[in-house]
Amino acid sequence: TRITITSEGFHDPCSGCAVAGSCAYCGDLVRCKFTAYDITTYSTAMCVRLANGKCDPVRMTCNTPYARDLRGNLVSLDPFFVAVSISINDQQFFPQNPLTLKPYNVFDTGKAFLFKFFETPRVSGVVPSASAGNGGGGHTPTGVDLL
């Protein structure tokens, strides 16, 4: 899933990178950080291109990680929230807590950017594979992340 983060103060992370190579991913320094409890994972951010080809100064997009990577050892498949932060230099992630100078965690409600995860169900089979043509028979799907 791709999310869009809107904020003030993004600069064009691709400025000057035409000399260094491709600007497809706005450089390796622009990243999103996803934190759920004590588990953190990162993804490369991409700028939203304007009609003139420049990066939008207020919007960046990130692909979310798989929910199972952030869920850890929790057995539940219930939806859950993660805190999202973004960095344009791969050092400081925002929004951050002014007291600790660290990004907010999912517990910091009202301050963190929160994203709610739902696992994508994947059906691998249905039992029985056939039934009477008039319907009414029961079927049981099998797979991963079925709610």
Side-chain angles (χ1 to χ4, degrees), residues 66-68 71 77 117-125 141-147:
Y66 290 109
R68 66 179 168 268
R71 189 181 302 281
L77 291 179
F117 266 104
F118 294 88
E119 293 283 357
T120 302
R122 291 176 281 162
V123 176
S124 59
T142 57
V144 179
D145 302 328
L146 302 173
L147 294 177

Side-chain angles (χ1 to χ4, degrees), residues 26-42:
C26 295
D28 293 332
L29 299 178
V30 183
R31 298 186 356 140
C32 287
K33 180 178 186 177
F34 297 85
T35 305
Y37 313 106
D38 61 344
I39 300 172
T40 299
T41 188
Y42 300 87

Side-chain angles (χ1 to χ4, degrees), residues 3-110:
I3 62 171
T4 300
I5 298 173
T6 303
S7 182
E8 295 292 324
F10 288 140
H11 70 284
D12 184 347
C14 294
S15 62
C17 75
V19 176
S22 173
C23 233
Y25 293 100
C26 295
D28 293 332
L29 299 178
V30 183
R31 298 186 356 140
C32 287
K33 180 178 186 177
F34 297 85
T35 305
Y37 313 106
D38 61 344
I39 300 172
T40 299
T41 188
Y42 300 87
S43 74
T44 301
M46 294 168 272
C47 71
V48 175
R49 294 281 180 192
L50 299 173
N52 63 7
K54 295 188 182 230
C55 284
D56 187 326
V58 297
R59 293 183 297 156
M60 294 280 180
T61 63
C62 294
N63 289 328
T64 62
Y66 290 109
R68 66 179 168 268
D69 294 340
L70 289 167
R71 189 181 302 281
N73 293 329
L74 297 177
V75 177
S76 171
L77 291 179
D78 291 337
F80 66 102
F81 285 99
V82 298
V84 180
S85 53
I86 189 165
S87 173
I88 57 174
N89 63 6
D90 199 19
Q91 294 176 23
Q92 290 90 18
F93 284 84
F94 298 96
Q96 69 180 1
N97 184 325
L99 300 175
T100 64
L101 299 180
K102 292 183 178 179
Y104 288 110
N105 200 328
V106 70
F107 302 113
D108 301 314
T109 57

